[in-house]
Amino acid sequence: MRKRMRTTAVAAVAVGLSVALAAPAVAAPGGSGAGDTGDHRATRRAVQAAVAGGVPGVTVRADDRRGAWTTTAGVGDLRTERKRSPQDRYRVGSITKTFVATVLLQLEAEGKLSLDDTVDTWLPGLVTGNGHDGTRITLRQLLNHTSGVFNYTADEDFGRTYFLKEGFFEHRYDTLAPEELVRIATSHEPDFAPGAGWNYSNTNYVLAGMVIEKATGRPYGEEVRRRVIAPLHLTGTSVPGTRTGVPGPSSRAYGKLTRDGSGPVHDVTRLNPSMAFSAGEMISDSKDLGRFYRALLTGRLLPREQLDEMTDTVAVDARNGYGLGLMKTELSCGVTVWGHGGGIHGSASEAVTTEDGRHSLAFNFNGDWSGDPGAVIEAEYCGD
């Protein structure tokens, strides 16, 4: 994966096998405004442009001082031409990472672990081989992607097996243990020595989920439900484990399953998300995602000390920084938003909010080969 964060919608499954389950979009340049565009007309046009450019359908929700606003464009089912719904649930890919980081930070606040603990303290002997050394990597370095641990989704065999047509239809229902995903990563050399660089790696969050399980004695998904989903009443949000479907209301998800995004469209809705585990398996909807990020940034989920840790970012490029499962982006009009994005087969999602929680945006494309999520974010916060 390139060190600069890139739009997941274009390449989550096709071009960039290493980006699958991966990174937030970089906001597209252009636009001017003050972060509150009022009538959302620019956002509506950006959504319609995404559909005109090839995305089957889009669902969007924004919450600001005027209340909730929703819109949809395109279809949720190419066969029946059923429209997308504002209530659609969808796979959120790497937005899962913010939930996982939140739970780890809660455990730190409770004194159950320290982010300065090494990975080997909790998972002895797991991260080793080809230069990987879990005794030198801290939990903090996992969460901000400075560990150097190789990204397992960048492995060519993994990509052919789970992201390209010839492998996907044969293996879409495979159950993969997180230990297997880590072994794929450690079969490669690390990207760099711990703390010596920044590179987005899904393996970091597979390990983070495993640490949660070791520290609590419960599945990481149970901790996410108990600590975040239930307290915030996120009724559309779930951690599916090995369940292959998406609960309704929902739309179909579509992918090309090719390296260059060419070829016919395939329905890729059903799959076993254990291939993503705590790096990207969760399902949610736009209402819940907005509520989650607003609650997080306004201190409802973490004490001040842990929220400060989460929002202490590593520079990714001139406009983007990565904290602990949370990305900071400065838009072209000077507005700063916090959130995350995620791509997984047939689904590209974004959820962001202003730091004060007063203006949030969450949306989903139900196709993974086209569209510019950054343009939708710019339109909502910066207008024309």
Side-chain angles (χ1 to χ4, degrees):
M1 173 180 156
R2 288 159 49 185
K3 294 207 182 221
R4 175 178 166 83
M5 285 191 168
R6 51 175 300 183
T7 302
T8 54
V10 177
V13 177
V15 181
L17 300 178
S18 64
V19 188
L21 325 178
V26 174
S32 60
D36 193 347
T37 55
D39 56 21
H40 308 280
R41 284 182 296 180
T43 310
R44 192 187 304 275
R45 287 196 299 272
V47 167
Q48 292 168 343
V51 172
V55 176
V58 186
T59 182
V60 183
R61 177 179 170 123
D63 289 87
D64 60 19
R65 61 187 178 86
R66 295 173 177 83
W69 172 83
T70 63
T71 192
T72 65
V75 298
D77 189 318
L78 290 172
R79 182 178 59 84
T80 65
E81 297 188 345
R82 174 174 52 87
K83 302 298 184 183
R84 293 214 66 177
S85 164
Q87 287 76 45
D88 269 355
R89 298 174 183 179
Y90 44 82
R91 299 189 191 278
V92 301
S94 278
I95 292 173
T96 303
K97 291 179 171 68
T98 314
F99 287 83
V100 169
T102 299
V103 171
L104 264 179
L105 283 160
Q106 288 180 346
L107 292 171
E108 181 191 55
E110 294 162 10
K112 293 183 171 65
L113 54 77
S114 167
L115 294 191
D116 295 320
D117 291 345
T118 67
V119 173
D120 210 65
T121 299
W122 292 98
L123 306 171
L126 181 63
V127 181
T128 187
N130 294 302
H132 287 91
D133 184 356
T135 68
R136 299 177 57 211
I137 299 167
T138 67
L139 303 187
R140 190 185 312 276
Q141 289 168 338
L142 296 180
L143 297 185
N144 66 11
H145 296 296
T146 62
S147 72
V149 176
F150 185 84
N151 181 11
Y152 75 91
T153 60
D155 177 84
E156 289 189 11
D157 287 341
F158 187 90
R160 281 192 296 269
T161 303
Y162 295 103
F163 296 116
L164 297 181
K165 180 182 176 181
E166 57 266 31
F168 175 76
F169 288 112
E170 181 180 351
H171 294 283
R172 68 196 296 180
Y173 300 124
D174 289 0
T175 295
L176 299 177
E179 291 84 359
E180 293 179 72
L181 306 179
V182 176
R183 281 196 293 270
I184 292 169
T186 57
S187 71
H188 298 264
E189 294 182 356
D191 295 321
F192 45 78
W198 185 91
N199 198 42
Y200 195 93
S201 174
N202 290 299
T203 317
N204 288 326
Y205 276 78
V206 171
L207 292 165
M210 295 174 75
V211 170
I212 290 171
E213 296 187 343
K214 183 61 74 76
T216 65
R218 289 181 287 271
Y220 96 89
E222 183 178 327
E223 289 299 300
V224 170
R225 284 188 288 269
R226 186 170 72 87
R227 293 169 172 273
V228 180
I229 294 174
L232 295 181
H233 305 290
L234 305 182
T235 57
T237 303
S238 59
V239 185
T242 59
R243 296 193 304 276
T244 61
V246 178
S250 60
S251 292
R252 310 305 296 175
Y254 298 99
K256 295 290 187 78
L257 301 176
T258 58
R259 292 186 184 276
D260 61 2
S262 64
V265 174
H266 303 280
D267 188 321
V268 296
T269 308
R270 298 191 72 88
L271 56 83
N272 184 331
S274 64
M275 70 175 74
F277 190 58
S278 51
E281 72 168 285
M282 287 180 64
I283 292 167
S284 191
D285 62 29
S286 298
K287 181 179 180 180
D288 278 7
L289 291 178
R291 181 181 297 172
F292 167 61
Y293 280 102
R294 290 193 304 273
L296 179 62
L297 268 295
T298 56
R300 290 181 56 193
L301 292 171
L302 294 174
R304 185 74 252 176
E305 179 182 349
Q306 276 67 40
L307 185 56
D308 287 345
E309 288 186 286
M310 183 178 243
T311 55
D312 183 12
T313 61
V314 177
V316 176
D317 58 29
R319 284 192 175 181
N320 298 278
Y322 200 94
L324 306 183
L326 192 65
M327 188 176 185
K328 175 184 180 181
T329 299
E330 182 180 337
L331 303 177
S332 64
C333 56
V335 174
T336 296
V337 293
W338 295 83
H340 214 286
I344 192 168
H345 304 70
S347 182
S349 308
E350 293 286 337
V352 296
T353 186
T354 51
E355 189 168 10
D356 60 10
R358 293 181 179 177
H359 188 174
S360 62
L361 173 72
F363 60 93
N364 172 261
F365 296 172
N366 66 337
D368 57 43
W369 67 91
S370 184
D372 182 359
V376 179
I377 297 171
E378 279 279 341
E380 174 63 23
Y381 289 93
C382 297
D384 296 320

